[in-house]
Amino acid sequence: MNKFPLALDLQLFAQEKTEKATPKKRQDSRQKGQVAKSHELPGAFILLFGFLFLLFFGGYFKEHIFRIFTEYFNDYMLWNLTQQNVLSLFSKLAYQLMLIVGPFMLMAVVIGLIGNYLQVGFLITADPLMPKLNKLNPLEGLKKIVSLRSLVEFLKSMLKMSVIAMVVYSSLWGERAQIVSLSHMPISGILQYASNVTLMLGIKIAVTLIILAVFDFFYQRYEHEKSLKMSKQDIKDEHKKSEGDPLIKGKIREKQRRMALQRMMQEVPRADVVITNPTHFAVAIQYESGKMTAPTVVAKGQDYVALKIKQVAQENDVMIMENKPLARALFEQVEIGESIPEALFQAVAEVLAHVYKLKGKAV
């Protein structure tokens, strides 16, 4: 026999996070900087484009590095040690270093931005930078260290290092014959060969890291979708917050109806006549010659509201006339504050003329 009552079982089921995240939950998570993103993908792209940069623009860097050493040994070593010469020397060296380092830095920034944009799109948020006291909690830090996610990250790092080691080993093993013959090559040839092997290894490692980072991105997206899942109760609570509590909304609508009814009843004493069905409908008509182009409906109602209109009319000596077809037509065709349509002019005019005749009022 089940130890838990059925109500408790249903409550626990409602709290299980089995539903996909709503658009609002996704948007709130994005604004907090919680997105599916692999931190390794931008770094892998930067590494690849860095080696490609050296491959295609190696002559440019070689020229500037050679110029620094040439000018230093040929010119700067012969300068007198003065404050002006030292400042000039460092200014020129800083400029030459900027010409070497600047393109690398610019490339790294651009590729890093592109790598992040391809994953999360355009996103600027300062929420992750805000200080949070729970991050200083040692128990929370210990939980992160011994968590399943930490174990997965450790296994990913071991896999990455193993794959890179295999790529390096296989590449160098394929060059073993050339490496053995380096002792018979001049220094310039050795340097040229070493640079070629380094570039080749760098590109291979970068491509390997990109492939691993792509798999990591899909894993991060899976984990992100899993963390965003909501329970049925979460969806209900979100709906209440966005749409408003149905009980509160019902009370607001009821209050608005009472206020509208009160304002409408205040117009009944100024009416000239109330046309009734006689019990189901009641329509109050007002006409001020010279101010109105046509008679106007100032109040109308059905059933209880109709009885209330007739009660207010009786208390304020407003004439009540029974005309079933006209009362229904006015109720269905004319809204409060609107003028009588042309099709009902004749019928309303006859009613008003009769009222004015009884009151001894001129039309």
Side-chain angles (χ1 to χ4, degrees):
M1 182 180 293
N2 191 355
K3 297 181 180 180
F4 298 98
L6 179 60
L8 183 58
D9 288 343
L10 293 176
Q11 183 179 3
L12 293 174
F13 177 75
Q15 293 177 352
E16 291 182 359
K17 298 185 181 297
T18 57
E19 307 299 317
K20 290 185 178 181
T22 60
K24 184 179 184 304
K25 177 69 177 292
R26 294 180 185 276
Q27 182 64 27
D28 293 343
S29 177
R30 181 177 175 82
Q31 290 177 353
K32 295 178 182 179
Q34 299 173 358
V35 291
K37 173 184 174 183
S38 172
H39 296 282
E40 298 178 3
L41 195 57
F45 274 121
I46 291 174
L47 184 64
L48 175 62
F49 281 90
F51 279 106
L52 291 177
F53 208 69
L54 287 174
L55 180 63
F56 291 106
F57 300 99
Y60 167 84
F61 296 108
K62 175 183 176 181
E63 177 185 349
H64 281 78
I65 294 174
F66 184 76
R67 180 183 301 173
I68 290 176
F69 283 97
T70 300
E71 292 179 353
Y72 183 82
F73 287 111
N74 289 342
D75 300 328
Y76 302 149
M77 293 293 290
L78 303 177
W79 285 13
N80 294 326
L81 187 60
T82 63
Q83 182 179 1
Q84 184 65 31
N85 288 341
V86 171
L87 291 176
S88 177
L89 170 62
F90 277 100
S91 298
K92 291 182 178 181
L93 286 177
Y95 176 72
Q96 292 294 334
L97 290 175
M98 183 59 66
L99 292 178
I100 297 173
V101 179
F104 260 106
M105 295 178 62
L106 180 62
M107 179 273 301
V109 171
V110 172
I111 297 301
L113 292 175
I114 293 175
N116 283 281
Y117 178 79
L118 292 176
Q119 295 184 85
V120 301
F122 184 76
L123 176 62
I124 297 178
T125 176
D127 189 86
L129 302 178
M130 299 296 293
K132 297 178 182 178
L133 296 179
N134 60 351
K135 293 183 177 180
L136 303 178
N137 189 344
L139 294 178
E140 292 294 329
L142 183 61
K143 288 181 180 179
K144 291 182 179 180
I145 293 175
V146 298
S147 64
L148 178 62
R149 187 176 183 86
S150 298
L151 177 61
V152 172
E153 292 296 326
F154 173 75
L155 294 176
K156 282 164 49 182
S157 299
M158 294 299 296
L159 174 64
K160 181 170 63 175
M161 295 303 297
S162 300
V163 173
I164 292 175
M166 291 175 59
V167 171
V168 173
Y169 175 79
S170 62
S171 299
L172 293 180
W173 184 255
E175 298 288 333
R176 63 186 183 280
Q178 189 70 18
I179 293 175
V180 171
S181 63
L182 288 179
S183 58
H184 305 290
M185 297 175 62
I187 296 297
S188 59
I190 295 175
L191 294 176
Q192 181 67 33
Y193 175 76
S195 63
N196 292 336
V197 172
T198 302
L199 286 174
M200 178 265 297
L201 279 177
I203 293 174
K204 286 185 177 181
I205 292 172
V207 172
T208 303
L209 290 177
I210 289 176
I211 295 173
L212 295 176
V214 169
F215 282 104
D216 179 62
F217 169 72
F218 285 108
Y219 170 76
Q220 296 295 339
R221 190 165 68 173
Y222 165 78
E223 286 290 325
H224 181 65
E225 290 293 329
K226 185 178 177 181
S227 66
L228 288 180
K229 281 190 174 181
M230 305 172 66
S231 65
K232 294 182 182 297
Q233 186 62 41
D234 292 337
I235 296 177
K236 291 180 180 179
D237 294 340
E238 181 186 291
H239 182 72
K240 285 183 179 180
K241 290 181 181 179
S242 59
E243 299 294 333
D245 194 327
L247 295 177
I248 297 176
K249 290 176 67 177
K251 291 180 180 179
I252 292 175
R253 285 196 296 266
E254 180 61 27
K255 186 175 182 180
Q256 290 173 343
R257 282 195 295 268
R258 289 200 301 267
M259 293 176 63
L261 180 61
Q262 184 178 2
R263 288 194 300 269
M264 184 178 69
M265 292 304 173
Q266 292 174 354
E267 297 294 327
V268 175
R270 291 192 280 270
D272 293 309
V273 63
V274 173
I275 303 173
T276 65
N277 192 29
T279 57
H280 295 295
F281 300 102
V283 181
I285 303 293
Q286 180 186 15
Y287 179 66
E288 295 184 18
S289 180
K291 294 183 179 180
M292 297 181 180
T293 58
T296 303
V297 173
V298 295
K300 71 173 185 177
Q302 185 177 5
D303 298 331
Y304 170 77
V305 178
L307 293 175
K308 189 69 176 177
I309 291 174
K310 288 192 293 182
Q311 180 183 348
V312 174
Q314 291 173 352
E315 293 173 354
N316 293 272
D317 297 326
V318 177
M319 188 167 291
I320 300 173
M321 293 191 64
E322 179 180 337
N323 190 326
K324 295 180 180 180
L326 182 58
R328 179 180 290 273
L330 289 171
F331 182 84
E332 293 177 351
Q333 299 180 27
V334 188
E335 296 297 328
I336 298 174
E338 292 183 355
S339 299
I340 301 300
E342 186 177 352
L344 300 177
F345 271 2
Q346 183 65 31
V348 174
E350 292 177 358
V351 172
L352 289 175
H354 181 68
V355 171
Y356 292 159
K357 182 179 179 180
L358 294 177
K359 289 185 175 181
K361 181 179 177 182
V363 181

